[in-house]
């Protein structure tokens, strides 16, 4: 979607290295989310943010940290990547009140 | 947490046929959305529908919140409808956001 971009789109990294994925939005939405998608599991929430510097854990947060220093940017960091973190990562945004989610195009991460 | 079950898991249709996808959820929710993931992996929001009925072209959705299910109808299917359809539900959090829980999806293949 034009209002939300993820970078990089693809990344291959080695086990044990730190990795940071970026989500950038131009919609000025308050809420931002990181999900991972794996075969057989659908999408699962990793972390979310409800404002600048306000974040909380989701269902599968172990091994991940996040930061939000500006409204438009939400960073997901894998502190020490493991093969089990090979996945497709999606960022989503939503506004205040009754609104739906808008997803970014995803980042395909491979940990070797 | 909330459980979301989608059926059928797989569906093959001849172009022009109609179909109904079902989503059952285990608890009362404030938010229910339907998404389409196209073969290139992009997630598109189809409907925000916590209750009632909505229509958008050949697609329509109905949610019966009191009975904890939602239905997505696709009429006169086209090959471009192929992909995976996800139902996602959520409850309003104290921070004002909805952390969505996704079902595992229905994979639709429309053949010419």
């Amino acid at each position: 979607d034009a209002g939300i971009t993820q970078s990089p789109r693809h990344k291959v990294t080695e086990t044990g290295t730190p990795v940071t994925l970026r989500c950038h939005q131009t919609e000025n939405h308050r809420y931002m989310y990181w999900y991972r998608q794996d075969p057989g599991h659908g999408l699962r929430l990793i972390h979310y943010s409800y404002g600048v510097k306000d974040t909380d854990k989701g269902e599968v947060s172990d091994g991940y940290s996040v930061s939000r220093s500006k409204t438009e940017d939400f960073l997901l960091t894998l502190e020490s990547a493991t093969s089990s973190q090979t996945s497709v990562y999606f960022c989503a945004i939503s506004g205040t009140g009754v609104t739906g989610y808008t997803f970014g195009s995803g980042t395909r991460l491979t940990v070797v | 947490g909330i459980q979301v079950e989608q059926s059928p898991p797989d569906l093959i249709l001849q172009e022009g046929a109609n179909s109904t996808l079902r989503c059952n959820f285990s608890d009362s929710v404030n938010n229910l959305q339907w998404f389409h993931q196209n073969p290139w992996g992009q997630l598109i929001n189809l409907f925000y529908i916590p209750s009632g009925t909505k229509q958008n072209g050949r697609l329509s959705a109905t949610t019966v919140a009191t009975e904890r299910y939602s239905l997505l109808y696709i009429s006169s299917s086209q090959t471009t409808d192929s992909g995976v359809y996800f139902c996602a539900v959520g409850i309003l959090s104290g921070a004002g956001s909805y952390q969505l829980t996704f079902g595992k999806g229905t994979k639709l293949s429309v053949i010419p």
Side-chain angles (χ1 to χ4, degrees):
Chain A
D1 192 278
I4 176 172
T5 55
Q6 293 184 230
S7 59
R9 292 296 311 278
H10 303 271
K11 186 172 182 64
V12 179
T13 193
E14 294 186 348
T15 299
T17 60
V19 177
T20 296
L21 309 182
R22 181 182 186 232
C23 178
H24 178 78
Q25 61 145 331
T26 58
E27 305 296 323
N28 200 35
H29 281 339
R30 178 180 177 185
Y31 305 107
M32 300 184 76
Y33 312 84
W34 278 108
Y35 283 83
R36 61 177 288 174
Q37 184 177 27
D38 305 288
H41 290 278
L43 284 91
R44 294 178 291 172
L45 181 65
I46 305 171
H47 282 278
Y48 66 97
S49 170
Y50 49 94
V52 173
K53 296 186 179 175
D54 290 324
T55 64
D56 206 347
K57 296 179 180 180
E59 178 188 358
V60 290
S61 60
D62 286 349
Y64 302 95
S65 62
V66 290
S67 66
R68 192 171 178 197
S69 59
K70 299 184 291 185
T71 298
E72 56 266 35
D73 289 324
F74 191 32
L75 304 180
L76 176 71
T77 297
L78 289 64
E79 291 144 12
S80 178
T82 67
S83 58
S84 65
Q85 293 175 313
T86 292
S87 187
V88 180
Y89 292 85
F90 286 97
C91 176
I93 59 175
S94 67
T96 303
V98 178
T99 64
Y101 275 31
T102 300
F103 276 92
S105 298
T107 294
R108 183 174 295 276
L109 177 68
T110 303
V111 183
V112 298
Chain B
I2 300 174
Q3 305 299 310
V4 182
E5 293 186 1
Q6 293 186 240
S7 59
D10 295 280
L11 185 59
I12 300 174
L13 293 177
Q14 199 77 38
E15 197 170 24
N18 302 328
S19 63
T20 301
L21 283 56
R22 186 176 179 102
C23 172
N24 292 330
F25 45 97
S26 61
D27 208 343
S28 299
V29 298
N30 311 113
N31 191 324
L32 189 147
Q33 299 180 40
W34 283 96
F35 296 89
H36 174 222
Q37 187 168 39
N38 64 25
W40 297 270
Q42 190 171 7
L43 283 156
I44 305 298
N45 192 306
L46 298 175
F47 293 103
Y48 168 81
I49 185 166
S51 64
T53 297
K54 288 187 178 180
Q55 183 156 6
N56 185 0
R58 295 182 296 104
L59 272 60
S60 63
T62 295
T63 297
V64 183
T66 53
E67 298 186 20
R68 299 179 186 171
Y69 73 89
S70 183
L71 303 174
L72 178 68
Y73 305 96
I74 304 174
S75 64
S76 304
S77 58
Q78 301 176 359
T79 56
T80 53
D81 295 329
S82 296
V84 183
Y85 290 80
F86 289 102
C87 169
V89 303
I91 299 174
L92 183 63
S93 75
S97 67
Y98 295 90
Q99 288 78 258
L100 294 182
T101 298
F102 283 74
K104 294 184 178 180
T106 292
K107 183 177 180 182
L108 174 65
S109 301
V110 181
I111 55 178

